[in-house]
């Protein structure tokens, strides 16, 4: 099996997502989950502004197409809704159960990828997706 560079970024994403869940669970203990989500959002926004400015990747907004704006705005709204729900779930439940249920998004991405993007996972891919879904349900059910 050959290693592709995107796989490194995906593994790093998983590591940071795991740390995010742990840090968020601790951080949301004594404040409203919506305020916690707002603070997290400001930190992310500021961090990316600094990154873009430091690397010279910031471009003028008018150079971005309307289609790109539309889908990035929709993605941002989805992210906001996801974070809002995630922080509320962390406020109410254990991180070790909230995070696996949140990962049902993997199953939904596969389904939406087929329906919207025309992607076609392999049979082994579908098996892995089903295992992720089954594992999340098994963990959440407390069985």
């Amino acid at each position: 099996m050959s290693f592709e560079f995107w796989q490194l970024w995906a593994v790093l994403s998983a590591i940071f997502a795991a740390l995010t869940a742990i840090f968020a669970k601790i951080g949301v203990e004594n404040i409203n989950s919506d305020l916690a989500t707002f603070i997290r959002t400001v930190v992310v926004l500021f961090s990316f502004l600094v990154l873009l400015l430091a690397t010279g990747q910031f471009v003028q907004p008018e150079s971005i197409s309307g289609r790109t704006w539309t889908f990035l705005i929709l993605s941002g709204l989805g992210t906001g809704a996801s974070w809002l729900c995630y922080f509320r779930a962390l406020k109410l439940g254990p991180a070790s159960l909230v995070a696996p249920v949140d990962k049902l998004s993997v199953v939904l991405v596969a389904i939406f990828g087929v329906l919207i993007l025309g992607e076609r996972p392999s049979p082994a891919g579908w098996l892995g997706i089903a295992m992720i879904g089954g594992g999340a349900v098994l963990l959440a059910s407390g069985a």
Side-chain angles (χ1 to χ4, degrees), residues 99-114:
V101 172
D102 178 64
K103 295 311 168 219
L104 284 173
S105 64
V106 173
V107 176
L108 295 173
V109 166
I111 293 168
F112 295 156
V114 168

Side-chain angles (χ1 to χ4, degrees), residues 23-42:
F23 296 155
K25 178 64 179 175
I26 296 167
V28 79
E29 284 178 359
N30 298 315
I31 64 171
N32 175 281
S33 62
D34 294 342
L35 178 58
T37 304
F38 174 75
I39 292 169
R40 175 182 170 178
T41 303
V42 169

Side-chain angles (χ1 to χ4, degrees), residues 3-124:
F3 175 79
E4 295 189 37
F5 202 55
W6 67 263
Q7 292 168 323
L8 170 65
W9 288 106
V11 168
L12 288 172
S13 174
I15 292 167
F16 287 121
L19 290 172
T20 296
I22 300 304
F23 296 155
K25 178 64 179 175
I26 296 167
V28 79
E29 284 178 359
N30 298 315
I31 64 171
N32 175 281
S33 62
D34 294 342
L35 178 58
T37 304
F38 174 75
I39 292 169
R40 175 182 170 178
T41 303
V42 169
V43 170
V44 170
L45 179 68
F46 180 74
S47 298
F48 274 95
L49 177 61
V50 169
L51 175 74
L52 289 171
L53 292 173
T55 60
Q57 296 180 68
F58 193 86
V59 299
Q60 296 302 319
E62 58 271 5
S63 69
I64 300 171
S65 75
R67 182 177 193 273
T68 297
W69 272 111
T70 298
F71 283 98
L72 290 178
I73 288 168
L74 289 172
S75 177
L77 291 171
T79 298
S82 175
W83 287 3
L84 182 95
C85 296
Y86 188 70
F87 269 66
R88 286 191 182 175
L90 281 175
K91 180 79 174 176
L92 300 170
S96 60
L97 297 179
V98 170
V101 172
D102 178 64
K103 295 311 168 219
L104 284 173
S105 64
V106 173
V107 176
L108 295 173
V109 166
I111 293 168
F112 295 156
V114 168
L115 297 175
I116 298 169
L117 302 175
E119 297 179 353
R120 297 287 175 243
S122 67

